[in-house]
Amino acid sequence: MKKRTLLLVFLLGYTTYSQTDIDQILEIGITNAQRFSEDYFAPAGEALVNNMSNGWYTTAKTKKLWHFEVGIVGNLSFIREDKQSFLLRTQEYENLAFSDGQISQLVGNALGTNQGGTSVIISEAGSALEVVLPGGIGDAEIGSLPGGFVQASMGLIKSTEIKLRFLPKIKAVGNAEIQLYGAALQHEVTDWVFPLKRWPVRVAALLGYTNVKGFYDLNTSSGVPGSDQEVELRSNSWLLTTIVSTKLPVLNFYGGLGYYFGATNADLLGTYQIQNGPFASEIVTDPIRVKNKTKGVKATIGARVKYGFFKANLDYTLQNYNNLSIGLAVGW
């Protein structure tokens, strides 16, 4: 019996829920389900942190006191083929075997898919059940991950600028809700070192933080007997980077070299009564809690054009999941 649930629909909060069966995941046993979920969700959590750490800057120049800017930022992170599957080794699980007898096999994660379906057999206490492993979030492999938010900035004293980003709590798919907020401080060092004032470029540093929270009510959609069923997501991303930009009047070029790190927590909460297999009729509470951490170095290069109060930018970032950012803003 098919049950539809949200499996990291909150991957930046805009898209879909999977055809994954809650009961089938739990039917392989809670220990096995936890182990499987860690590998299944890891690339999705990494991609989310990577995506969130982009779009913070378009120039090293900080604004004058109380000058401000507000606009929208869109990110598109690209998923490599090797990030769409993982190697499942049955020896790392309890009483689990592939239906075709293999001891290890590449299977699709949340960003991938299982062509033709991949099944395992769970054996416990003389009882056995064949379970089809879930495919990815969509019906096909996910090649890119979009994201977007409103971002504003204002000049403070001492060549410092504060930036805020925000996505209000919105309804996504079904009973899903998502919200995003973040803050950053950018400081220009060009003004503090006299020789640097003569350079044709500006130099700055930035520290930024972004948080995403998501919620999905499963009580009316999971089809699995139980109560208080929900999925919760909490993700945070930090960025520490240097910024260099030109001083041209209209078209400017900018770039940065930085370090990012963060974590994503995805929890399946509530009570669930398993329907089939060796663990049938067993009631489990808050069965799956997954935490993934990621970190890395990133390099960005981009361009910004200014026409009066209007500004537009485009940049590309080399990182674990390469990213394309585009922004439109107004300000002075």
Side-chain angles (χ1 to χ4, degrees), residues 186-200:
Q186 179 176 324
H187 182 74
E188 185 179 347
V189 301
T190 313
D191 295 338
W192 291 89
V193 183
F194 182 76
L196 295 182
K197 294 182 179 181
R198 300 182 178 182
W199 286 12

Side-chain angles (χ1 to χ4, degrees), residues 54-125:
N54 288 290
W56 271 120
Y57 58 88
T58 61
T59 177
K61 181 181 179 180
T62 53
K63 293 176 177 55
K64 297 179 181 179
L65 182 63
W66 309 132
H67 285 208
F68 70 92
E69 179 179 300
V70 61
I72 56 174
V73 178
N75 288 324
L76 185 66
S77 296
F78 301 100
I79 313 300
R80 304 194 309 270
E81 184 177 350
D82 63 300
K83 292 294 187 178
Q84 296 171 337
S85 62
F86 69 95
L87 185 63
L88 192 156
R89 301 180 178 87
T90 55
Q91 61 266 35
E92 298 176 354
Y93 293 77
E94 298 179 359
N95 305 315
L96 198 70
F98 282 107
S99 300
D100 58 9
Q102 296 187 58
I103 61 173
S104 63
Q105 186 174 331
L106 280 175
V107 300
N109 57 37
L111 303 176
T113 187
N114 290 318
Q115 297 294 337
T118 302
S119 61
V120 294
I121 297 175
I122 177 67
S123 302
E124 183 80 17

Side-chain angles (χ1 to χ4, degrees), residues 56 149-154 162-166 181-184:
W56 271 120
F149 40 82
V150 175
Q151 185 159 295
S153 57
M154 184 175 66
I162 186 172
K163 301 172 183 282
L164 300 174
R165 54 176 47 171
F166 181 62
Y181 63 86

